Amino acid sequence: MSQPPPGTRPDIDRAALAARMTACVGAHNVLSDRESMRPYECDALTLYRDMPLLVVLPENDQQVQAVMRCCSELQVPVVARGAGTGLTAGSMPHPEGILLSLAKLDRIVRISPQSCSATVQPGVSNLAISAAASRYGLYYAPDPSSQIACSIGGNVASNSGGVHCLKYGLTVHNLLSMTVITAQGERLQLGSAGLDSPGLDMMAIMTGSEGLLGIVTEITVKLLPQPPAARVLLAGFDSIRAAGDAVGTIIAAGIIPAGLEMMDALAVQAAEDFCQAGYPRAAQAILLCEVDGTEQEVEQHTGRLHELLQRAGASSLHIAQSEEERALLWRGRKATFPAVGRLAPDYYCMDGTIPRSAVSTVLEQIAGLSKHYGLRVANVFHAGDGNLHPLILFDAGDSEQVRKAESFGARILELCVAAGGCITGEHGVGLEKLRQMPVQFSHEELLQLEDIKAAFDPALNLNPGKGVPILKRCQEYRALPGRHQHD
Amino acid sequence: MTETPEQDISPTLLQRITEAAARREPLRIHGGDTKRDLLGRPVAGTALDISGHRGIVHYEPAELVVSVRAGTTIDYLLSALREQGQTLACEPPSLGGGATVGGTLACNLSGPARPWGGAMRDAVLGLEMINGKGQRLNFGGTVMKNVAGYDVSRLQAGAMGTLGVITQINLKVMPLPECVQTLAFECTAIDALGMMRERARQALPLNGACWHAGVLQLRLAGAETAVTHTARQLGGQALAESDTLWRDLRELRLPLFTQATPLWRLSLDPAAPLDDALTVSAIDWAGAQRWVATEADFDTVCASAAAAAGHACLFRGGERHAEVRSPLHAPDAAIQQRLKLAFDPERIFNPGRLYGWM
Ligand SMILES: Cc1cc2nc3c(=O)[nH]c(=O)nc-3n(C[C@H](O)[C@H](O)[C@H](O)COP(=O)(O)OP(=O)(O)OC[C@H]3O[C@@H](n4cnc5c(N)ncnc54)[C@H](O)[C@@H]3O)c2cc1C
């Protein structure tokens, strides 16, 4: 078999490729005209767009395997896409490849209440799992704010977090097994129904691999018993610093809240305008603190938290009095992105992590940069686990503002690394943060990551140009078309 | 045993590894050497002792993060954490005091709290390691969340040193529970399994569920009010010495761990029915981990585990020069082999420890 050397690609004829793909998945599952492919040109980071040669929508695992075998043979790049809610251009198409949508693999295969697990296809939405498990009193814990829409396959590929991950962990902590189709079209069965599996921890390496190591076609997740009680406290503070210190106080007191979120004044205003959640408009920062568990535990911890927050100098303090009010307080938080989105034509969502103790310093530095660039920024913060989401407001129609927003974003990520944190807590690297990878990793570390990639996908067909910069092979490698190499 | 609290021998380790790589000299990595005859296959290689590389490098209780050199003992780390009212949620064994943090991570050995507190692999936030090219690498970080690059830190958990020498580890720590209570119920293994699964499905402050020697024990841990209330609700006999079984399980001190018959650890679907052909000595992790002492052959035990959607590992004793864990499917084995070479191209680290072919 004469294969081109890695990194160089033969010219692909769209019609010929379409014929091969049609043989794999049927004509109704191949899109090739621009109008039908338009919805797939970007994810939720709409600054970056491109058109694939084709969009292919397999209906089952065997079809995924057939598609992958064919693309491996033809050396065609494959970009996997779940629901396209990613914020890093991770599922942005490759102009010389296919966009592989997993949306039609949308079956809940089985719920096993006795084992506390659910087996699902990757296109199932995050929330649908909990909805299906609820009749057994069980749920799937990781809850990204995008959970109505985002797919579990996308969650696995991004190792997504949510507002409850301080206590319940990230996606990687809540999985048991998965089926993966490799770049060469082989099927891997990783993990097991037990808690520990022998050999290298393939579940760990696949989770968060951003579609670079394989296509996830089935996932078994852990389910937890729904906590019988949950209560949320809302505390307002006169300064970011006071709110940040209060977080430290709570943790130091030995309480791990189920959720602990901070929002700054601009985020609070936006959320209030959007859904009247009842947040104190006068506050410089608010904390939402949720405890869950048995009635007794919740009772005990709520009392203790009330006392701690008061002592930490909260200017206002309120405990949700009903389930409806609790849901409303969370709705305000989960709707912050769209709410802030109304304040300007566009927003750019960043995702750095920092040690909790650095929050006020970093937010002050961000405020300084905001003045420097002349762009407003609203901040939401998974305060419990140090994950910061600054939302930079700008106008994508103004190329100068686009340039400034990107530069501002890059500076924020560098601040996070300098504070002892990292460039992404849950959204991933995608295309967006490729340039910041060398800020966090040394040359040797990047080479090690590249060697891992090569162990799975030596021809570099899976999601090329995303996630991990390719150093060794970069000269001959046409990963990024010229117009994406903006600086 | 007195332990020098702080010592950085990483330059020596780096040099040794570089030399070994140049000569293709196999190394047998060890810390306290407490798990030499457990879990894996024997390694023929020059000993590389990590236990001198020790000390807590950074500990920030309010951040729930500790950074520790790999040769630090579990005992030493836990006592430092205890002073701040914290602990490792996965309850790792100290095995007579010698077990090190690095060895524990490499073996991913967790205690009875594992289904609720996670494993060592779940507590890892980041680490520093030396790969087979003699490069010192850092992955992950000291923050709770970090998804840049592949999760190389967690990949070291359970790799048994086959990918590199772990030199420093950042771990997530958790508050010690305010209150712990153990309840005992006399019953058969079958009834115990049913009861465990029923309890695991309920939202209870459960933190241990093990059946051994005709008794099911359930451990409750958490807020005092919740533990007291749940204990009353569940009944059973409240044990005055609430830690005896859990300590003996964790530290591998029950008679089943020292008898002469080969001892298998089965990691299974927790709800899988008991296999009549293989008598269980203990059922831990609310059903997900089962201990079987048997002379049955490798294939029989592996088939039994596979029927329960899980895996088997010859934990102690038996024929340790043959394979000691369930075989992998061919494509999975091929990728694991390539991954091994991506880290250790000269195959110097613990050759054959995990599988004969790795
Ligand atoms: C309003 C809003 C709020 C958000 N809140 C959060 C949050 O709280 N926490 C959080 O972590 N994220 C959040 N996100 C980001 C995003 O929703 C998550 O990253 C999510 O997991 C993406 O899922 P998706 O199905 O949309 O994946 P996509 O965007 O389609 O893809 C994401 C990545 O995964 C790969 N991929 C997708 N499916 C597969 C598969 N089956 N096999 C292999 N690779 C695959 C893609 O190639 C791509 O690299 C938010 C996004 C929005 C728009």
Side-chain angles (χ1 to χ4, degrees):
Chain A
M1 201 168 54
S2 78
Q3 288 216 339
T8 58
R9 301 198 185 284
D11 282 332
I12 299 293
D13 175 65
R14 186 196 304 253
L17 184 63
R20 292 292 301 270
M21 288 297 128
T22 300
C24 297
V25 299
H28 60 297
N29 288 326
V30 179
L31 310 178
S32 59
D33 64 289
R34 293 191 76 77
E35 275 329 291
S36 334
M37 295 200 299
R38 184 70 69 197
Y40 298 90
E41 68 178 346
C42 63
D43 66 6
L45 177 58
T46 54
L47 272 179
Y48 302 84
R49 293 165 196 265
D50 218 325
M51 282 298 228
L53 287 178
L54 301 169
V55 174
V56 181
L57 299 110
E59 291 174 6
N60 55 49
D61 171 270
Q62 290 81 10
Q63 291 186 354
V64 174
Q65 189 169 28
V67 168
M68 294 308 291
R69 284 198 176 132
C70 184
C71 289
S72 169
E73 178 199 328
L74 302 174
Q75 296 284 287
V76 173
V78 177
V79 178
R81 178 183 170 104
T85 68
L87 289 165
T88 61
S91 57
M92 187 191 80
H94 189 289
E96 293 157 14
I98 66 159
L99 189 282
L100 185 71
S101 166
L102 281 309
K104 290 192 176 178
L105 277 78
D106 63 351
R107 234 164 23 90
I108 294 182
V109 179
R110 130 178 40 88
I111 301 221
S112 311
Q114 281 303 331
S115 307
C116 295
S117 68
T119 300
V120 299
Q121 292 187 329
V124 171
S125 77
N126 172 294
L127 197 59
I129 302 175
S130 292
S134 71
R135 90 180 99 126
Y136 304 104
L138 302 170
Y139 78 114
Y140 175 62
D143 59 339
S145 303
S146 51
Q147 70 186 142
I148 301 174
C150 64
S151 74
I152 185 70
N155 292 175
V156 171
S158 319
N159 191 15
S160 296
V163 295
H164 289 96
C165 63
L166 177 64
K167 183 167 174 187
Y168 296 106
L170 307 165
T171 303
V172 71
H173 301 110
N174 289 279
L175 303 178
L176 288 168
S177 64
M178 60 172 108
T179 305
V180 171
I181 306 293
T182 66
Q184 303 81 23
E186 288 192 282
R187 184 177 287 107
L188 302 176
Q189 302 288 354
L190 310 178
S192 74
L195 294 173
D196 290 336
S197 291
L200 302 180
D201 194 336
M202 302 293 280
M203 293 295 290
I205 202 78
M206 278 306 305
T207 308
S209 64
E210 303 194 26
L212 271 84
L213 303 183
I215 307 295
V216 181
T217 58
E218 191 173 280
I219 304 126
T220 300
V221 302
K222 290 182 197 168
L223 300 175
L224 297 181
Q226 288 169 344
R231 203 158 303 152
V232 64
L233 292 89
L234 167 67
F237 289 87
D238 292 337
S239 71
I240 295 271
R241 192 167 289 273
D245 291 347
V247 171
T249 311
I250 292 169
I251 304 286
I255 299 178
I256 301 295
L260 187 54
E261 297 286 309
M262 190 194 287
M263 294 164 68
D264 75 359
L266 188 54
V268 166
Q269 300 298 346
E272 269 307 286
D273 291 342
F274 191 71
C275 64
Q276 295 81 45
Y279 298 162
R281 282 181 184 270
Q284 283 306 302
I286 64 160
L287 281 183
L288 277 175
C289 181
E290 176 159 290
V291 280
D292 67 9
T294 62
E295 294 285 355
Q296 300 75 24
E297 188 176 0
V298 168
E299 189 75 25
Q300 182 181 336
H301 282 160
T302 307
R304 184 93 176 89
L305 283 168
H306 193 274
E307 186 187 310
L308 288 168
L309 286 165
Q310 208 151 36
R311 223 178 322 132
S315 52
S316 66
L317 194 50
H318 176 72
I319 302 175
Q321 293 304 312
S322 65
E323 198 42 39
E324 292 73 47
E325 198 191 352
R326 175 179 158 256
L328 181 61
L329 288 177
W330 278 118
R331 191 146 66 239
R333 165 61 189 86
K334 291 198 175 179
T336 321
F337 292 5
V340 168
R342 301 200 311 175
L343 302 180
D346 299 278
Y347 71 92
Y348 184 26
C349 173
M350 308 308 298
D351 173 46
T353 57
I354 51 174
R356 273 182 292 261
S357 55
V359 62
S360 36
T361 314
V362 171
L363 288 185
E364 277 158 21
Q365 289 167 321
I366 290 176
L369 288 172
S370 165
K371 281 212 189 71
H372 170 81
Y373 285 103
L375 296 176
R376 286 192 297 167
V377 58
N379 289 288
V380 288
F381 185 47
H382 300 301
D385 35 41
N387 191 186
L388 195 62
H389 291 315
L391 305 167
I392 302 170
L393 304 181
F394 73 108
D395 179 355
D398 176 343
S399 61
E400 181 59 13
Q401 282 204 25
V402 172
R403 199 192 54 75
K404 281 186 175 170
E406 288 185 313
S407 166
F408 187 0
R411 292 280 293 276
I412 290 177
L413 298 184
E414 285 159 24
L415 284 179
C416 291
V417 174
C422 72
I423 60 174
T424 172
E426 56 183 19
H427 295 166
V429 175
L431 174 63
E432 181 212 12
K433 297 183 201 76
L434 214 51
R435 276 174 199 289
Q436 277 78 42
M437 285 293 277
V439 179
Q440 187 174 325
F441 294 100
S442 73
H443 186 73
E444 288 175 338
E445 287 155 3
L446 291 175
L447 286 176
Q448 182 66 74
L449 293 175
E450 188 179 337
D451 286 343
I452 293 171
K453 164 75 171 169
F456 283 84
D457 175 23
L460 309 179
N461 280 339
L462 280 171
N463 216 358
K466 317 272 182 63
V468 173
I470 299 295
L471 307 172
K472 279 184 199 162
R473 302 168 176 82
C474 63
Q475 296 86 345
E476 76 266 49
Y477 194 61
R478 291 180 288 156
L480 297 180
R483 65 202 141 95
H484 289 127
Q485 308 206 334
H486 52 84
D487 209 339
Chain B
M1 190 181 64
T2 55
E3 184 172 333
T4 318
E6 297 287 327
Q7 194 168 286
D8 179 358
I9 62 162
S10 58
T12 322
L13 293 173
L14 197 60
Q15 195 191 343
R16 274 297 289 121
I17 292 164
T18 310
E19 286 164 11
R23 292 200 296 253
R24 299 191 175 169
E25 172 193 2
L27 296 174
R28 185 179 80 80
I29 310 165
H30 71 88
D33 228 0
T34 55
K35 295 179 267 292
R36 185 177 188 154
D37 303 321
L38 304 179
L39 283 151
R41 302 173 68 259
V43 173
T46 318
L48 183 70
D49 186 355
I50 315 297
S51 63
H53 188 57
R54 58 186 169 227
I56 293 173
V57 182
H58 192 74
Y59 177 27
E60 203 64 69
E63 301 281 344
L64 300 175
V65 177
V66 66
S67 300
V68 56
R69 293 198 185 98
T72 314
T73 64
I74 291 284
D75 268 354
Y76 183 83
L77 173 60
L78 289 182
S79 70
L81 298 180
R82 209 174 300 119
E83 279 172 27
Q84 301 295 328
Q86 297 184 332
T87 192
L88 295 177
C90 62
E91 214 184 358
S94 69
L95 302 178
T100 62
V101 181
T104 305
L105 175 62
C107 294
N108 195 30
L109 201 52
S110 319
R114 200 257 178 258
W116 302 274
M120 274 303 268
R121 65 91 82 169
D122 296 308
V124 181
L125 300 174
L127 53 69
E128 182 200 71
M129 63 181 288
I130 303 171
N131 68 6
K133 296 170 208 162
Q135 296 167 330
R136 215 169 158 146
L137 309 172
N138 272 284
F139 293 99
T142 54
V143 281
M144 290 296 145
K145 292 161 83 179
N146 185 345
V147 295
Y150 309 116
D151 198 343
V152 178
S153 343
R154 228 178 285 285
L155 184 64
Q156 306 311 315
M160 300 195 77
T162 53
L163 303 179
V165 172
I166 304 164
T167 47
Q168 193 167 313
I169 305 162
N170 312 323
L171 291 165
K172 177 180 181 177
V173 300
M174 290 301 263
L176 280 165
E178 182 182 83
C179 174
V180 181
Q181 171 74 266
T182 297
L183 307 171
F185 306 80
E186 270 183 45
C187 60
T188 63
I190 292 186
D191 290 347
L193 186 59
M195 218 150 120
M196 282 175 185
R197 291 319 302 157
E198 191 189 326
R199 294 311 177 204
R201 283 179 60 182
Q202 298 168 339
L204 302 173
L206 204 60
N207 187 36
C210 178
W211 176 87
H212 170 65
V215 180
L216 166 68
Q217 296 201 11
L218 298 178
R219 180 172 58 181
L220 306 172
E224 180 160 11
T225 48
V227 169
T228 319
H229 177 87
T230 311
R232 224 176 298 132
Q233 192 187 333
L234 297 185
Q237 183 200 348
L239 300 184
E241 285 287 317
S242 72
D243 196 38
T244 314
L245 171 71
W246 312 112
R247 194 188 51 221
D248 289 349
L249 256 181
R250 183 181 68 226
E251 299 301 338
L252 312 176
R253 285 203 300 236
L254 293 174
L256 77 104
F257 294 110
T258 47
Q259 44 74 44
T261 318
L263 180 66
W264 294 81
R265 181 173 76 161
L266 308 186
S267 175
L268 311 174
D269 178 344
L274 297 172
D275 181 346
D276 293 335
L278 296 174
T279 312
V280 284
S281 304
I283 306 174
D284 197 7
W285 295 2
Q289 175 162 274
R290 304 184 193 172
W291 295 99
V292 173
T294 178
E295 298 289 354
D297 64 23
F298 179 80
D299 292 342
T300 307
V301 183
C302 290
S304 168
H311 298 99
C313 170
L314 179 57
F315 190 79
R316 209 188 130 270
E319 173 47 274
R320 306 204 71 80
H321 288 273
E323 294 299 346
V324 296
R325 30 176 64 75
S326 292
L328 299 173
H329 299 288
D332 191 5
I335 289 223
Q336 295 205 17
Q337 180 73 288
R338 290 203 295 275
L339 259 180
K340 155 82 175 170
L341 295 177
F343 283 88
D344 179 20
E346 306 298 342
R347 299 170 188 266
I348 59 171
F349 296 128
N350 283 356
R353 177 85 170 128
L354 203 46
Y355 296 100
W357 45 266
M358 190 183 273

